[in-house]
Amino acid sequence: AVWTKMSSATPSPEARSGHGLAYDSLRKVVVLFGGTGKAAALGDTWEWDGVSWRQVTPATTSPTPRIVEKLVYDSHRRRTVMYGGYSFKQLNETWEYDGTDWVLVSTRNRPPFRHGFDVAFDAGRGRTVRFGGDVGGDETWEYWGTPCHMAADVGTISITAGGTQTLSLDTGSVFANKPYWIFGSITGTSPGITLNGIDIPLNVDVYTQLAMQNVTANPPYKGFRSALDAKGAATAQFILPANALSAGFSLYHAYIVFDASGRFYGASNPVTLKLQ
């Protein structure tokens, strides 16, 4: 209804334009990065909590100064994602900020450099959508963060004949040789569960417990808990014997990547198996 001009209780960022802003709904702060000030492009990170500004000193690294970058908040993975920017050269990069540090993300492919594009986070599917920009920006791109991806060779299995769904896990070299664990659900993917700050798109139910307790059994599980190879890839199988289950429902699987100290690095998209 109305605008209210606010006065910060602490020093504010330098006046600027061409900066990026995103709202971190978990920590309830607006994140600001970069832009151009009086003299040159800026590379500072600030947070606004509704009362005061606070300049952040990242723990280990920070993006180089830039203008016309775009920020968006990924509420599934609790990261502010930054795309692109310009500072004497085109910065066709993806960075992520967790409230403590910035991390440069190495992706398998990337959109062409453009400025003037727009981004939004699709919370229903857990993906950032990017569209447009100057110089032929008529493309749509999606980004789902830490590259924990899973695909399946089949989506349905006949309970009468039985069959196998082969799951292909792929994280890229970023998680090479790290352990993974595939979880399951029969009640769906939303609202899902959160473990150690990582959102996993599976609901907890009796099948989740069954899968966790029997990941080394065969059948139905093969390779549901193991380690990724040197390329960050692995293969697992769900093997359904004939007449083992009833028809008319679906199984959902997704995996997490972790390490020996119990730190969780990311979770994959869900894969569905329909029993008919």
Side-chain angles (χ1 to χ4, degrees):
V2 297
W3 283 95
T4 301
K5 186 176 181 179
M6 304 296 293
S7 296
S8 177
T10 57
S12 301
E14 174 186 345
R16 64 192 67 198
S17 62
H19 50 283
L21 285 172
Y23 178 63
D24 181 332
S25 58
L26 174 67
R27 298 185 302 118
K28 295 181 172 56
V29 295
V30 174
V31 178
L32 177 153
F33 183 84
T36 181
K38 294 179 180 179
L42 300 166
D44 48 355
T45 303
W46 291 78
E47 294 181 355
W48 165 255
D49 64 4
V51 177
S52 303
W53 281 102
R54 178 179 73 95
Q55 185 170 7
V56 178
T57 301
T60 58
T61 189
S62 182
T64 56
R66 64 195 63 203
I67 62 173
V68 299
E69 69 277 8
K70 287 294 179 71
L71 271 62
V72 66
Y73 183 66
D74 181 334
S75 58
H76 281 216
R77 298 181 308 111
R78 305 177 182 182
R79 299 288 189 274
T80 297
V81 183
M82 181 172 72
Y83 299 91
Y86 185 87
S87 180
F88 301 107
K89 65 177 181 178
Q90 299 172 347
L91 300 170
N92 195 14
E93 301 172 336
T94 301
W95 288 80
E96 294 187 353
Y97 172 69
D98 63 1
T100 301
D101 209 358
W102 285 98
V103 175
L104 178 62
V105 179
S106 177
T107 58
R108 294 179 184 83
N109 51 36
R110 65 186 71 179
F113 173 82
R114 294 189 176 99
H115 62 76
F117 61 90
D118 218 337
V119 292
F121 183 66
D122 180 343
R125 297 183 306 125
R127 297 189 179 191
T128 295
V129 181
R130 167 178 164 159
F131 179 78
D134 67 343
V135 191
D138 58 350
E139 301 169 339
T140 301
W141 290 79
E142 293 185 340
Y143 172 76
W144 52 88
T146 304
C148 295
H149 187 65
M150 185 159 67
D153 61 339
V154 298
T156 61
I157 288 180
S158 166
I159 62 162
T160 302
T164 298
Q165 184 187 56
T166 299
L167 303 171
S168 299
L169 289 63
D170 184 13
T171 69
S173 59
V174 64
F175 293 144
N177 302 312
K178 281 188 167 50
Y180 70 85
W181 193 345
I182 300 176
F183 295 90
S185 174
I186 57 173
T187 55
T189 62
S190 181
I193 57 178
T194 300
L195 292 176
N196 289 13
I198 299 297
D199 293 323
I200 304 173
L202 297 174
N203 296 332
V204 175
D205 51 39
V206 64
Y207 181 66
T208 311
Q209 300 172 13
L210 178 66
M212 291 174 65
Q213 294 168 1
N214 295 279
V215 289
T216 58
N218 183 23
Y221 309 106
K222 183 177 180 181
F224 265 47
R225 184 170 182 176
S226 187
L228 301 163
D229 64 18
K231 295 183 179 180
T235 300
Q237 292 182 322
F238 179 85
I239 305 167
L240 181 67
N243 301 312
L245 293 173
S246 300
F249 66 94
S250 297
L251 304 177
Y252 305 89
H253 296 110
Y255 70 90
I256 62 168
V257 177
F258 60 101
D259 62 20
S261 65
R263 179 180 178 184
F264 288 26
Y265 290 91
S268 75
N269 57 293
V271 167
T272 304
L273 176 63
K274 295 181 179 179
L275 304 180
Q276 60 183 22

